[in-house]
Amino acid sequence: MTNSLAEQDIQATVGTGPGKATTFELVVDGDGARDGLHIPVSADSALGIDFRRTP
């Protein structure tokens, strides 16, 4: 069974200075985000930063 958190993309925009911002994408991995969040380093690479909840 999948829920509404399965395999979504989230775009976040962060202010980085006066009049400046950067946007990045987080990928929700796995059913119910069980595999955490992933921030890809580029569209051409599977490499990135993974965030996972620890028990």
Side-chain angles (χ1 to χ4, degrees), residues 2 5 9 11 16 20-21 23 25-28 30 32-33 35-36 40 42 44 48 53-54:
T2 59
L5 293 177
D9 291 336
Q11 286 189 343
T16 57
K20 295 182 179 181
T23 300
E25 181 179 281
L26 295 119
V27 179
V28 179
D35 297 325
S42 79
D44 300 327
R53 184 173 53 169
T54 57

Side-chain angles (χ1 to χ4, degrees), residues 23-49:
T23 300
F24 59 93
E25 181 179 281
L26 295 119
V27 179
V28 179
D29 286 336
D31 182 25
R34 74 174 177 273
D35 297 325
L37 297 174
H38 177 78
I39 300 176
V41 294
S42 79
D44 300 327
S45 173
L47 298 175
I49 303 166

